Amino acid sequence: MTASNASTGKGPSPITGGPQHCQAHVDPLSAVRTPDDPPWDVYLTGNVFLDIIFTGLDSAPVRGTESWARGMGSSPGGVANMATALARLGLKTSLAAAFGDDHYGEYCWDALEQGEGIDLSPSRTVPGWHSSVTVSMAYEGERTMVSHGHEPPPEAVRLQGGAPDHAPRARAAVASLTPGRRAPWIAQAAREGTRIFADVGWDDTGAWDLAGLADLQHCEAFLPNAEEAMRYTGADSPRAAAHALTAHVPLAVVTLGAEGAYAVDRRTGETAEVPAIAVEALDPTGAGDVFVAGFVTGTLAGWPLADRLAFAGLTAALSVQEFGGSLSAPGWSEIAAWWRRVQSVEEQDPAALRRYAFLDRLLPGEEQVRPWPLRRAVPTIGFGRSA
């Protein structure tokens, strides 16, 4: 199945009130909600960056020359990519993070709280600390990034360690594991019934020792990419690595890049593999976060494993057709527009269409769906909080 967005993403888009004002409302967990539910569907913590994205570059910048981009956008980045992806899929999302006491920090706070409806009550603004910044240059389906920031202040370390603030009750939490280091909030949240979904970054130490991921014992699911999974397990294939990981975590999901994703559930013995959707990728920033958000959504909703993989892959595929991290996270309007558009393509593979037929029961009515292809707003930074 293919699904390419005809928008080139070149040139600045008009500033709007933000995507939330034109999103159709879908609650993917409506069938499982009860009066005794925790207040939040997903909790997460981490570092927020201000992302500045240059688009419309014909090639990589050349040393000693000046390059002009035809478009530019700004958005919260870092852990905000995941938080935004979850919120746009209709999950009640709570974020604990330290924000800089500068215009960048104000902009990121307002964009997340007012623009995306993310709960920031566990977050703090740190006086005298400036925001971390990443400049991303997107070209030829890839990106080059330059980041700057200072060591996190004690307030940020306490937030991400789960003390002194207690992690709020939530159905699930997304954690990024760090080799050789525990995050006490993970064990605390797991003891209280929060389902922990974990990813991991590249191991700069080169050890690739699963024992160093001590918090994995508290996790329900682990979602590494193929290279990470093989290095941690010593397996000779991503699929073998997924099976090996289930000795350490109940559910292993290994992303296979252009091949899709493979998952194994130790508790049920179920396996699933879903191929990737072929798209014209403009910018892969945040695609991994969007994939995890889609998988968490399907898991909390109780969908079959194959549907969860298909949905996660679809949301990631939609995100790489737009520029930026949190800017590109799709909502239900984008998903519905894609589903209606792809069904109208002549000679579409019937088996591929059946793979996504579960969307029919979830999606908003056609009157709530914007036309395809879509153009996102590219916001600029405001120098002051909204009144």
Side-chain angles (χ1 to χ4, degrees), residues 99-111 131 382-385:
F99 288 77
D101 185 26
D102 53 17
H103 292 315
Y104 293 170
E106 291 180 355
Y107 167 77
C108 289
W109 185 291
D110 289 344
S131 302
F383 291 92
R385 291 189 181 275

Side-chain angles (χ1 to χ4, degrees), residues 257-296:
E259 294 182 39
Y262 182 80
V264 183
D265 190 329
R266 181 186 70 205
R267 295 163 300 190
T268 64
E270 185 181 9
T271 64
E273 182 168 1
V274 175
I277 297 173
V279 297
E280 179 186 353
L282 294 178
D283 182 3
T285 304
D289 294 324
V290 173
F291 181 94
V292 173
F295 189 81
V296 170

Side-chain angles (χ1 to χ4, degrees), residues 25-32 297-308 310-311 332 335-336 339-340 343 354-365:
H25 177 71
V26 173
D27 180 4
L29 307 189
S30 59
V32 298
T297 299
T299 301
L300 295 183
W303 301 348
L305 187 57
D307 289 353
R308 287 181 262 166
F311 185 73
W332 288 100
I335 295 166
W339 180 230
R340 287 171 172 78
Q343 291 180 89
R354 286 195 296 273
R355 184 178 301 121
Y356 297 91
F358 67 91
L359 292 173
D360 280 330
R361 69 178 184 272
L362 299 166
L363 295 174

Side-chain angles (χ1 to χ4, degrees), residues 1-6 318 321 333-348 353 359-360 363 366 369-374:
M1 178 181 287
T2 62
S4 62
N5 189 336
L318 293 177
Q321 295 179 82
S333 288
E334 287 91 341
I335 295 166
W338 173 84
W339 180 230
R340 287 171 172 78
R341 173 70 178 88
V342 79
Q343 291 180 89
S344 70
V345 176
E346 294 184 5
E347 301 180 358
Q348 184 64 265
L353 286 177
L359 292 173
D360 280 330
L363 295 174
E366 192 166 357
V369 178
R370 288 177 285 165
W372 181 278
L374 304 167

Side-chain angles (χ1 to χ4, degrees), residues 201-281:
W202 190 258
D203 187 354
D204 292 326
T205 70
W208 298 102
D209 181 9
L210 274 172
L213 301 179
D215 284 325
L216 194 59
Q217 65 177 306
H218 305 298
C219 298
E220 171 170 332
F222 186 41
L223 298 95
N225 64 33
E227 184 67 20
E228 293 160 351
M230 289 190 293
R231 285 178 179 267
Y232 271 117
T233 62
D236 58 4
S237 75
R239 294 159 186 82
H243 285 274
L245 286 171
T246 59
H248 305 272
V249 66
L251 178 58
V253 181
V254 177
T255 55
L256 309 174
E259 294 182 39
Y262 182 80
V264 183
D265 190 329
R266 181 186 70 205
R267 295 163 300 190
T268 64
E270 185 181 9
T271 64
E273 182 168 1
V274 175
I277 297 173
V279 297
E280 179 186 353

